[in-house]
């Protein structure tokens, strides 16, 4: 759980304006990591920034002993991380949190908003090892983002992928939720659904996840979501990163995104809870 | 050969060593168990308990600042009854001093909770939180007025025979006056500091980062304030002091002991380095050995010269 992982690769990918990086770590984490889990990475030996950075696992290679992570530079922590060269060792806690469940048959519908695609890369990796049909719906800001965020890797796998961009520079113009509504209206999907053979997994901004959860609820599609929240300890001690969920008795309760999540039942989460 | 005796005695609360974990940073003893045995520590302080279950404040509850952390968790906890039933038995089985932190919104709340904890119930001491900045009523309101602080401690004192630790807020102008007040109220030990009230504003949204607007600042950024207050309280009262506030290395811990702390508590440092308490303990031991001290008690308050 308290690991020293060797940096194998840590470089910017795609267009510089997107600020996207790919990090490959070699060590023990790959032995036990599951799709949807995260690593809590220390980016500096000093006290500023004070906290580790929780980053989702995007690829797991137990044979090579490597995990892959994608990240975007957002602040001081990720900026410092981007400067760490290959062959250096990083202090890493993990793999932490719950993972996505991978069905054994039927269709797995993946819905991603922006960099929310990255944790779903690890889901695809696992789902490709079982006889399940994978359908990917991915919405991004523009073509430059999708290209930079390794869209080609996804296409090379021969997956069924539908894309949308906000500016219409690639795929459908608009939000990924429109792709989802259209897909769920298809006849073939209805048959899978009634046979209990359709399930969905989503990751992206909270507003998108809320909309996805609403659409999936209307369509009776089981949904798992990967949540993001400001995190301190990563192990369930500080109660900083909670989300609100519906309790069995109909009341509300908190769950820790780092411990009970980051993957949660999409219908359980109370979105926009201001309590 | 190690001759340095790490045992410490805080007015009858005997600890095998002076390193404790701070309330709200260690869960109920389970969160860091995968990293090391809690029994290596002198004690652990569990998450603050209130009479009824609390969901705490909305998110975001955290904001990172230069060498510090703002939180507005707001005392999320399962409530007294669930704590006694679901958490206490496991905690009582740990081979370390378990300190339960209690918080409330009225004198009656504090008294009610205190009456549920007596010697033999499996815990070593009660820490009375009169210093939480993240709840609107109670908490810090009790801890910033000497008269209220004395009353709360006196009310709790009547209801339990356990050693009583009064946890003080740094959000006051005269910490010595607060220390004297809780001494008069019947506290056995003083712990300080709780977090400093602070806030952060996002330049993009132009709004406070924390959903609760303000929160408690902890981490290395607050350490000099905490050292100063431990130093002042050591001079003001006879009660032993548990020092905390930004301790992340053994050097920090020794500094607090020199200022007058008989034990130290590790809080925010746990988040970045789960092994911080263990490393701090090893460092204190090495310091004592190298300097040729017989006991950890010899170090306490040395920065004051001859006390009294």
């Amino acid at each position: 759980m308290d690991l020293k992982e060797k940096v194998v690769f840590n470089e910017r990918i795609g267009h510089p304006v997107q600020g996207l990086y790919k990090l490959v770590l070699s060590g023990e984490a790959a032995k036990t990591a599951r799709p949807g889990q995260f690593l809590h990475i220390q980016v500096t030996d000093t006290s500023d920034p004070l906290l580790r950075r929780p980053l989702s696992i995007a690829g797991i290679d137990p044979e090579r002993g490597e995990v892959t992570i994608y990240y975007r530079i957002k602040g001081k922590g990720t900026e410092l991380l981007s400067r760490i060269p290959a062959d250096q060792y990083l202090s890493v806690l993990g793999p932490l949190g719950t993972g996505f469940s991978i069905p054994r048959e039927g269709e797995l519908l993946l819905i991603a908003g922006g960099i929310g695609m990255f944790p779903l890369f690890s889901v695809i990796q696992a789902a490709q090892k079982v006889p399940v049909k994978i359908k990917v719906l991915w919405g991004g800001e523009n073509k430059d983002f999708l290209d930079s965020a390794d869209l080609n890797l996804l296409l090379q796998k021969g997956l069924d992928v539908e894309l949308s961009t906000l500016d219409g520079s690639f795929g459908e113009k608009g939000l990924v939720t429109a792709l989802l509504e259209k897909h769920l209206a298809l006849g073939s999907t209805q048959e899978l659904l009634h046979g209990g053979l359709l399930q969905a997994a989503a990751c992206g901004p909270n507003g998108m996840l809320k909309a996805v959860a609403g659409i999936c609820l209307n369509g009776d599609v089981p949904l798992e979501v990967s949540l993001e929240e400001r995190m301190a300890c990563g192990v369930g001690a500080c109660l900083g990163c909670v989300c609100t969920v519906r309790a069995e008795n109909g009341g509300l309760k908190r769950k820790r995104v780092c411990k009970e999540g980051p993957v949660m039942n999409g219908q359980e989460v109370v979105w926009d809870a201001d309590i | 050969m190690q001759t340095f005796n790490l045992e410490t005695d805080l007015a009858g609360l005997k600890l095998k060593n002076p390193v404790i974990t701070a309330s709200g940073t260690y869960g109920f003893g389970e969160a860091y168990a995968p990293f090391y045995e809690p029994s290596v520590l002198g004690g652990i302080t569990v998450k603050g308990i209130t009479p009824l279950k609390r969901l705490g404040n909305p998110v975001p509850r955290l904001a990172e600042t230069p060498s510090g952390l703002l939180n507005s968790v707001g005392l999320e906890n399962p409530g007294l009854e669930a704590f006694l039933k679901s958490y206490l038995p496991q905690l009582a089985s740990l081979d370390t001093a378990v300190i339960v932190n209690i918080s409330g919104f009225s004198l009656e709340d504090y008294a009610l909770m205190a009456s549920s904890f007596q010697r033999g119930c499996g815990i070593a001491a009660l820490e009375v939180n009169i210093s939480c900045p993240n709840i609107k009523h109670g908490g810090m309101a009790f801890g910033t007025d000497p008269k209220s602080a004395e009353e709360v401690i006196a009310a709790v004192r009547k209801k339990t025979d356990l050693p009583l630790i009064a946890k003080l807020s740094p959000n006051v102008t005269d910490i010595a006056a607060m220390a004297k007040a809780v001494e008069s109220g019947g506290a056995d030990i003083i712990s300080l500091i709780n977090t400093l009230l602070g806030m952060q504003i996002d330049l993009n949204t132009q709004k406070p980062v924390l959903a609760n607007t303000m929160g408690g600042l902890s981490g290395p950024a607050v350490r000099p304030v905490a050292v100063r207050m431990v130093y002042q309280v050591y001079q003001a009262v006879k009660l032993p002091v548990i020092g905390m506030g930004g301790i992340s290395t053994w050097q920090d811990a020794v500094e607090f002991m020199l200022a007058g702390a008989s034990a130290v508590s590790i809080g925010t440092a746990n988040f970045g380095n789960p092994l911080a308490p263990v490393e701090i303990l090893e460092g204190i031991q090495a310091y004592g050995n190298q300097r040729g001290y017989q006991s950890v008690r010899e170090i306490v308050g040395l920065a004051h010269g001859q006390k009294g």
Side-chain angles (χ1 to χ4, degrees):
Chain A
M1 193 111 121
D2 181 18
L3 309 172
K4 293 285 175 215
E5 297 275 310
K6 186 178 181 179
V7 177
V8 177
F9 181 92
N10 184 27
E11 290 182 19
R12 192 179 65 212
I13 55 168
H15 196 279
V17 78
Q18 299 295 340
L20 297 170
Y21 281 73
K22 185 175 182 175
L23 170 69
V24 181
L25 297 173
S26 169
E28 297 291 304
K31 288 185 182 169
T32 57
R34 299 193 310 278
Q37 287 189 301
F38 68 95
L39 298 181
H40 215 24
I41 300 177
Q42 187 180 324
V43 296
T44 174
D45 290 334
T46 70
S47 64
D48 188 19
L50 189 63
L51 302 174
R52 291 165 180 268
R53 263 48 195 169
L55 294 169
S56 292
I57 295 168
I60 305 160
D61 188 338
E63 283 78 37
R64 291 173 68 96
E66 290 179 356
V67 292
T68 301
I69 281 167
Y70 289 81
Y71 62 96
R72 172 176 259 169
I73 292 187
K74 280 186 179 172
K76 194 187 277 180
T78 40
E79 161 67 26
L80 285 169
L81 179 61
S82 74
R83 294 190 210 164
I84 293 172
D87 292 335
Q88 192 167 318
Y89 283 81
L90 285 175
S91 168
V92 171
L93 304 184
L96 299 174
T98 57
F100 284 103
S101 48
I102 309 293
R104 314 299 297 182
E105 56 181 339
E107 180 178 302
L108 177 59
L109 180 57
L110 302 177
I111 310 130
I115 58 172
M117 190 64 228
F118 296 147
L120 299 181
F121 281 162
S122 66
V123 177
I124 291 170
Q125 194 182 28
Q128 282 192 310
K129 292 176 184 157
V130 291
V132 61
K133 181 178 182 295
I134 303 166
K135 172 84 184 181
V136 180
L137 308 176
W138 186 9
E141 202 170 312
N142 52 39
K143 183 175 189 300
D144 185 41
F145 167 77
L146 292 172
D147 286 340
S148 297
D150 264 354
L151 170 63
N152 265 340
L153 269 186
L154 207 58
L155 297 177
Q156 281 163 16
K157 290 173 188 278
L159 293 166
D160 180 1
V161 181
E162 281 186 52
L163 303 164
S164 69
T165 50
L166 289 178
D167 66 355
S169 53
F170 204 62
E172 297 274 319
K173 184 175 181 179
L175 297 170
V176 71
T177 44
L179 298 181
L180 175 63
E181 282 177 322
K182 200 165 93 180
H183 182 70
L184 291 182
L186 295 177
S188 58
T189 297
Q190 292 301 314
E191 285 168 28
L192 282 168
L193 182 57
H194 295 308
L197 293 172
L198 177 67
Q199 74 177 57
C203 185
N206 252 18
M208 174 208 127
L209 292 180
K210 179 187 175 186
V212 166
I215 296 165
C216 285
L217 180 64
N218 276 342
D220 284 331
V221 181
L223 170 71
E224 287 183 338
V225 293
S226 178
L227 299 180
E228 193 177 29
E229 188 51 65
R230 286 162 185 266
M231 212 174 265
C233 68
V235 297
C238 72
L239 308 185
C241 66
V242 296
C243 67
T244 308
V245 299
R246 192 75 58 193
E248 296 76 21
N249 62 7
L252 299 177
K253 65 176 184 180
R254 306 282 198 208
K255 279 191 174 180
R256 299 166 294 185
V257 172
C258 68
K259 191 77 178 176
E260 285 85 37
V263 177
M264 302 267 183
N265 178 337
Q267 306 309 349
E268 193 185 45
V269 178
V270 178
W271 308 95
D272 298 331
D274 188 26
I275 55 160
Chain B
M1 191 179 71
Q2 288 173 347
T3 55
F4 185 59
N5 183 357
L6 284 164
E7 288 170 351
T8 187
D9 184 337
L10 299 102
L13 172 62
K14 290 182 170 54
L15 305 179
K16 66 177 99 170
N17 65 63
V19 178
I20 309 173
T21 57
S23 177
T25 66
Y26 201 75
F28 291 110
E30 77 300 345
Y32 290 104
F35 297 93
Y36 62 91
E37 284 290 325
S39 60
V40 303
L41 301 179
I44 62 169
T45 312
V46 299
K47 175 76 188 154
I49 305 296
T50 51
L52 298 174
K53 174 185 172 165
R54 278 178 60 85
L55 288 173
N57 291 326
V59 292
R61 292 175 168 188
L62 298 174
E64 209 170 354
T65 66
S67 297
L69 173 67
L70 284 163
N71 91 80
S72 61
V73 169
L75 291 177
E76 178 183 335
N77 79 91
L80 178 64
E81 194 181 327
F83 173 76
L84 293 172
K85 192 175 152 197
S86 304
Y87 297 92
L88 185 58
Q90 174 64 23
L91 282 163
S93 71
L94 295 176
D95 181 23
T96 189
V98 174
I99 299 166
V100 169
N101 179 293
I102 58 170
S103 206
F105 307 93
S106 64
L107 284 177
E108 292 72 27
D109 282 352
Y110 282 101
L112 165 75
M113 279 184 296
S115 62
S116 299
F117 298 98
Q118 308 297 332
R119 284 186 194 272
C121 77
I123 71 167
L126 267 191
E127 182 175 65
V128 188
N129 180 6
I130 51 171
S131 46
C132 179
N134 289 325
I135 51 174
K136 286 189 173 66
H137 306 287
M140 200 171 75
F142 286 108
T144 49
D145 170 47
K147 189 165 171 289
S148 301
E150 183 178 343
E151 283 173 2
V152 172
I153 297 300
V156 171
R157 177 73 288 165
K158 283 183 199 146
K159 297 291 182 180
T160 181
D161 57 358
L162 280 167
L164 271 195
I165 307 168
K167 185 165 183 178
L168 300 187
S169 167
N171 301 301
V172 295
T173 47
D174 187 354
I175 194 72
M178 296 304 302
K180 286 175 186 163
V182 295
E183 185 177 46
S184 300
D188 300 302
I189 304 161
I190 289 174
S191 63
L192 75 163
I193 59 173
N194 204 322
T195 54
L196 277 152
L197 193 60
M199 74 181 286
Q200 187 182 59
I201 298 169
D202 186 304
L203 295 191
N204 291 319
T205 64
Q206 303 182 327
K207 292 191 168 109
V209 170
L210 296 173
N212 204 43
T213 306
M214 286 174 257
L217 180 65
S218 61
V222 310
R223 198 175 74 241
V225 176
V227 172
R228 182 262 294 180
M229 289 190 163
V230 168
Y231 189 91
Q232 288 179 312
V233 167
Y234 181 79
Q235 289 184 327
V237 296
K238 292 192 170 65
L239 304 183
V241 170
I242 301 171
M244 65 193 81
I247 298 175
S248 52
T249 66
W250 69 263
Q251 289 93 336
D252 302 339
V254 170
E255 187 184 4
F256 273 80
M257 296 174 90
L258 295 173
S262 297
V264 290
S265 205
I266 316 303
T268 304
N270 290 308
F271 302 158
N273 176 16
L275 294 174
V278 180
E279 291 171 6
I280 287 165
L281 176 57
E282 289 167 355
I284 293 170
Q285 186 156 36
Y287 178 82
N289 279 328
Q290 280 164 13
R291 294 265 172 162
Y293 291 110
Q294 298 298 306
S295 161
V296 74
R297 300 176 206 194
E298 291 174 41
I299 302 172
V300 177
L302 282 183
H304 297 265
Q306 289 295 102
K307 189 184 183 187

